[in-house]
Amino acid sequence: MSSDKLDRHIQQQIHAHQSDVDAEAIWEAVQPKPKKKRFLWWYWPVGIGSVLAIVVAVLLFNKTTNNNPIDNTTAMNTPIHKAKAIIDTTCFIEHKEQSIITTKKQKPNTTTQKAKSSSAKKQTNTAKQKHHKQHAKGTNTTTKSSLNKTHSPIAQQQTTSPLKATNNTITDTQDQQLNPIANTNTINDLDTLGRAQNIATLSFYPYRQNDQQILKPTKSLTTEKQTTSPWAIQISTAVYHIQKEWRNDSDSIALALNDLREATESLKEATSVGIGLSRVFKKHWQVQAGLNYTQINSQFKHNNTWADYDSMGTLERITTHTQQINNSIRQWNIPVSLAYLHQKGPWQMYAQAGLQFNIQQKAEGRFFTLDNMLCYKTMGIASSNIYKKKMGLSYQMAIGAAYELFDRTYLSVDINASFFPNAFTNSNALIEERYRLFGLRLGLRREF
Amino acid sequence: MTEAQIIKGCQKEKAAYQKELVMRYSPTLMTVARRYCRDQHAAKDVLQDAFIKIFKAIPKYKHSGSFEGWLRRIVINCALSRREKHAFKKEQTALEDTSPIAISPSVYAHLEAEELMALIKQLPEGFQEVFNLFVIEGFSHNEIADILGISASTSRSQLVRARKKLQVILKQQEKQHYVKRQIG
């Protein structure tokens, strides 16, 4: 038929036809400009600023603590410092060893001493109970003097004999006046303490099988060391506000896609649960590590409209269908952080900063993208493969407070922020996605 | 530089290969763009837009089918995405006689590409698109329906009307030519 011949003629003539075009001008217009490496100017100042703020805060706190005797007494409330106080006290014994030996020579009556040692032991137990009560109440009483008596019956014997200070009212001032060395020496080793005490004890009391009980203070110290483990475990849950940062190459395709996605996707919230282990390694410092699972949620909503025509090409009807899908990006985070803790009674204030290694486990939902033929169309996120698997490191910081609910168990609340300097998306994605999370975290910490 | 080398170079975002792609395919793709655009200026814009898309999409290109066909399809998509929306609705005509008109091959045999393109340009926009896609690009009615967002039956009816209209235009040209010869 003539129409077929006409079609064939047109096809042959036009299909291979080449138009006159200034290809150089087109190349000038379309050549990709070298990508400027954007300097993330505000990420580094935020990170460095946080670290500096913590360092300054620590220095200030330390300065205050050193100048303020009340704070020293407060610090004595913590079990680890109680142990240290005992060591300090016992140091006195070591220095006074010579005089003890002299005393021993002067008072060879061991029976009397044994009786006295029993009495000292009783006093020890009473004082110990008293001390524990004081600690439970969280009061800042003169624990140092009570500990002096509690764990150093020898010292008590030593001081009691010449001064007849048999009651429990020896104060730090008295102690200092009597034993100026005690406050100037610091021995941090419990073994030294044990040795010192044993030497002192054996020097004072001729060693016998029955006298083993005299060594109990050293044993009790060992027990105390075990009960004041620096380790703690924490579980936490958090809810975050999401702040997004989408970047594109500012060309017509990426801009149109960006607009389309802005119109169809709305961010909701992020949630996180985690478990962590922490260890106190200095007076106020704690290092933490753990595992978190974070989910960033958004919603995809799009109205699909299409027209149906009849066989004659006349419009029959227009149908609209609303598609609403919950999108999510799920990640595993491995946080490692450093925290500064300040104890005040049952309260603990803390500032924490650290890094997180992030692994994206899954991304689900639907979004607009370009297909192979560069048409905008909705697509399953999972099949698009635009999100990275390994996202690298992110910054994380928090400031908050914890309250001791019951023995060694704290409930903590903090304001938490996470910054992800690396993009969530792969390099082939038209839109580079970054998110920041600001939220509230609730935790429960148990010290061992 | 072979086609495969150009593809590979463009996938590595090498400027020399990208330039070669533009220089080699611009004339052919410009013809495609011109068929779907109202004027030369619009066709140039479409072509530029299409090349940007091509550079972005080429890493995804799978070596299945003709590379030129893939490039053409991108240009067509770019051109169609710019077209006036609901063009079809405006061009719906009343029921008309679609019986073919007999035209001798001698009427169009001497017509070359530029003249034929000018003839096609005289068709209503909706007819042009279906005619170009079916006759020149070789798409099926189902594919056209997918590209243009219309039903396959609409595509068929538009094609019949486009052919009829083209035949009418050719007949008129033949008459004018005949009259000119008579006068001459």
Side-chain angles (χ1 to χ4, degrees), chain B residues 8-171:
Chain B
K8 211 170 176 180
C10 289
Q11 283 174 336
K12 289 178 182 170
E13 297 183 2
K14 288 186 177 170
Y17 292 89
Q18 289 173 330
K19 187 176 182 180
E20 181 60 27
L21 179 86
V22 172
M23 305 306 278
R24 187 177 291 191
Y25 292 100
S26 280
T28 313
L29 297 179
M30 186 63 177
T31 310
V32 179
R34 280 174 61 203
R35 287 205 307 273
Y36 296 90
C37 297
R38 289 174 190 273
D39 53 42
Q40 190 82 4
H41 182 72
K44 199 179 165 188
D45 284 351
V46 162
L47 190 61
Q48 287 179 3
D49 209 9
F51 273 119
I52 293 168
K53 282 189 174 185
I54 287 162
F55 293 151
K56 281 206 179 292
I58 207 161
K60 293 181 190 172
Y61 174 72
K62 290 162 190 164
H63 298 257
S64 57
S66 146
F67 179 60
E68 194 182 307
W70 183 74
L71 297 175
R72 281 169 172 270
R73 178 73 188 264
I74 289 171
V75 175
I76 293 165
N77 283 340
C78 284
L80 293 177
S81 66
R82 284 181 162 232
R83 73 190 168 136
E84 198 181 347
K85 283 184 180 175
H86 311 300
F88 283 92
K89 281 185 217 169
K90 288 180 183 174
E91 286 153 16
Q92 296 305 320
T93 50
L95 286 175
E96 58 194 58
D97 179 20
T98 53
S99 56
I101 301 163
I103 297 174
S104 163
S106 59
V107 176
Y108 54 81
H110 65 281
L111 296 175
E112 290 183 352
E114 288 294 337
E115 292 165 304
L116 288 167
M117 280 169 68
L119 274 178
I120 295 165
K121 280 276 171 207
Q122 291 179 37
L123 295 173
E125 207 169 293
F127 291 1
Q128 269 185 52
E129 285 167 0
V130 174
F131 188 84
N132 276 325
L133 290 169
F134 187 87
V135 175
I136 301 165
E137 311 300 342
F139 290 118
S140 70
H141 286 296
N142 284 333
E143 285 172 317
I144 294 168
D146 197 36
I147 293 166
L148 297 177
I150 57 172
S151 66
S153 57
T154 306
S155 172
R156 273 187 214 100
S157 65
Q158 296 278 30
L159 180 67
V160 170
R161 288 195 182 108
R163 276 182 180 145
K164 171 85 180 176
K165 187 97 180 167
L166 200 62
Q167 284 163 352
V168 169
I169 295 166
L170 281 169
K171 201 81 182 169

Side-chain angles (χ1 to χ4, degrees), chain A residues 252-280:
Chain A
S252 60
I253 308 155
L255 284 172
L257 183 65
N258 193 79
D259 291 347
L260 202 55
R261 287 193 61 188
E262 290 273 7
T264 52
E265 286 176 52
S266 56
L267 287 170
K268 289 170 79 184
E269 77 291 309
T271 51
S272 174
V273 287
I275 185 160
L277 202 63
S278 62
R279 190 185 196 281
V280 173

Side-chain angles (χ1 to χ4, degrees), chain A residues 240-258:
Chain A
Y240 297 99
H241 163 73
I242 312 165
Q243 202 178 62
K244 75 176 174 186
E245 191 182 333
W246 284 2
R247 294 172 185 174
N248 54 57
D249 288 345
S250 306
D251 59 48
S252 60
I253 308 155
L255 284 172
L257 183 65
N258 193 79

